[in-house]
Structures are given as structure tokens and as C-alpha cells.
Amino acid sequence: AQSVTQLDSQVPVFEEAPVELRCNYSSSVSVYLFWYVQYPNQGLQLLLKYLSGSTLVKGINGFEAEFNKSQTSFHLRKPSVHISDTAEYFCAVNPQGGSEKLVFGKGTKLTVNP
Amino acid sequence: ETGVTQSPTHLIKTRGQQVTLRCSSQSGHNTVSWYQQALGQGPQFIFQYYREEENGRGNFPPRFSGLQFPNYSSELNVNALELDDSALYLCASSSGGVGATEAFFGQGTRLTVV
């Protein structure tokens, strides 16, 4: 069975600072990896996904993530955050070759302060 | 605009009652997945419907049931509501089948059980 650990429940940063949100997963099979963002009182929006190929994945809103198979990690980064990036971020996995029954982490609340 | 719509947006029910939540999938999508997101947690997979058939179920009791209609819209039914059923219920639609495709989420239905 797959599981996802998001190592930080809350990450406060100042505007224009870089940020990294950490995600580790465990799985006995190869997986696809996703990052979703959830703004207050909203559903989930896909930021980026790793299916195969290059381990550095670029997404929307200037976010990127790096897949590290040996460390079973998929950390999300942004070089310079904005106030509008304040939201909850979820890492998710699903097994390759399976239909998309996502397993989510508990989320990281990113707060960007002026 | 993801194209996935859920109704109602908010709902208050009494313990022991039954509730039906609705989801209209994005045009062209034949798969609908339902997730429960308790406060402060990541979404948890309830079940998935693919071409009107249940295609996998998470660790939820049988009082959680669903339907998918020929137009691929879907319903989530919960019987004998319990206080712990209070959560945001998310619907996600995708093109389905084997392999990872992007799942588009609706805004969710906030269910409060009192």
C-alpha cells in the first residue's frame, strides 16, 4: 500500500523568499506523483505531476518539484513566493498502471507574510 | 474553471439522517471519484465509478454508497449519518481507464452533522 508523509504541517515564509515543501512517499510499486493546492473554501487544483522522464517537473504559478527515487521524495519548491501563494498544499501518489485513486498526505499550510 | 460542479455547497444534517451529494463531471470524462476531507486532513478516497460501475473502494463502511448515471454524473449517498461524517466531500472527474490522468476536482460539499 502507498502512503505519503508531508513533513511540515505549517510553513511560514516572508514574501519573495524561497520555499520548499517536503513530501516523502512509500510504495512497493512504481508510482505517479502529484502536488495539489487548495485555497480556502475551494477544491483542489493540480500544480504539477510526475509520470516519467525528467525528474525535475515544472508546474503552474512558478512551482517545480524534483522526484528522487532513491530517497522516495518529491519536494515542491518555488524560488520567490507571493502573498497569493498562501494556501494548503497536498502531495499525492497513485500506482503506475492503476486508475487514479489518489493517496494524499495530510497537507502543508503555507503562509506568506508581507 | 475545472468544469466539475458539486451540489449543494453546504449542508447541515442531523445524526441518523441520510444525505445525497451530487457531482457533474467535466465534459468528456467517464470516471468520477469521491473523497472525504476531514478538517485539517488530506482527502481520503471513498470510491470511484467508471462507466457506471464501481471501480474500487476505500476503507469506508457500506452506509457510504454511490451511483453513476449514463451522462457520467454521480451521487454519493450516506445513510445513518454520524458526527464524524462532518467533512468536505470532494468529487473528481477524469478520463479514466488504466494509467494516470489528471483528475479535476470540484469545489466540494461541506457537510455538517449535528
Side-chain angles (χ1 to χ4, degrees):
Chain A
Q2 295 81 36
S3 67
V4 176
T5 301
Q6 291 185 242
L7 297 160
D8 305 295
S9 59
Q10 297 187 56
V11 173
V13 294
F14 288 108
E15 195 173 17
E16 298 183 7
V19 71
E20 178 180 82
L21 306 184
R22 297 181 291 169
C23 172
N24 285 89
Y25 69 93
S26 64
S27 176
S28 57
V29 299
S30 296
V31 295
Y32 296 132
L33 295 154
F34 305 81
W35 275 99
Y36 283 86
V37 61
Q38 186 176 38
Y39 299 102
N41 301 313
Q42 301 283 315
L44 301 176
Q45 180 182 9
L46 181 69
L47 277 178
L48 47 79
K49 59 185 176 183
Y50 172 79
L51 305 182
S52 64
S54 172
T55 56
L56 183 63
V57 180
K58 293 191 183 298
I60 62 171
N61 302 339
F63 284 93
E64 62 181 32
E66 185 153 19
F67 169 57
N68 188 318
K69 188 175 182 179
S70 63
Q71 297 187 2
T72 60
S73 68
F74 190 55
H75 299 334
L76 181 71
R77 302 185 183 102
K78 186 169 182 178
S80 175
V81 294
H82 303 290
I83 299 285
S84 59
D85 292 322
T86 294
E88 190 92 27
Y89 291 80
F90 293 95
C91 181
V93 303
N94 79 325
Q96 288 187 6
S99 54
E100 54 290 349
K101 302 162 191 176
L102 296 164
V103 175
F104 286 87
K106 291 188 175 182
T108 297
K109 170 66 175 173
L110 173 66
T111 302
V112 181
N113 298 301
Chain B
E1 182 64 50
T2 65
V4 180
T5 58
Q6 293 186 242
S7 63
T9 55
H10 296 84
L11 201 53
I12 299 175
K13 288 286 189 178
T14 303
R15 188 172 49 183
Q17 284 187 315
Q18 178 266 342
V19 69
T20 298
L21 310 182
R22 294 178 175 83
C23 171
S24 294
S25 58
Q26 185 162 313
S27 177
H29 286 179
N30 55 17
T31 302
V32 171
S33 303
W34 286 92
Y35 293 83
Q36 181 196 64
Q37 185 180 13
L39 198 61
Q41 302 294 316
Q44 289 203 333
F45 175 73
I46 303 174
F47 45 55
Q48 181 185 85
Y49 280 84
Y50 173 61
R51 293 184 177 178
E52 303 180 59
E53 297 286 332
E54 188 177 288
N55 182 39
R57 188 180 183 90
N59 189 26
F60 280 82
R63 59 190 185 83
F64 285 78
S65 63
L67 282 174
Q68 188 178 32
F69 300 99
N71 66 355
Y72 302 130
S73 65
S74 178
E75 286 183 355
L76 164 64
N77 299 290
V78 188
N79 293 321
L81 283 167
E82 301 177 0
L83 296 179
D84 285 349
D85 296 334
S86 295
L88 180 68
Y89 288 85
L90 295 164
C91 165
S93 81
S94 60
S95 57
V98 172
T101 63
E102 181 173 344
F104 292 86
F105 283 82
Q107 302 281 71
T109 294
R110 173 75 62 188
L111 173 64
T112 302
V113 182
V114 297

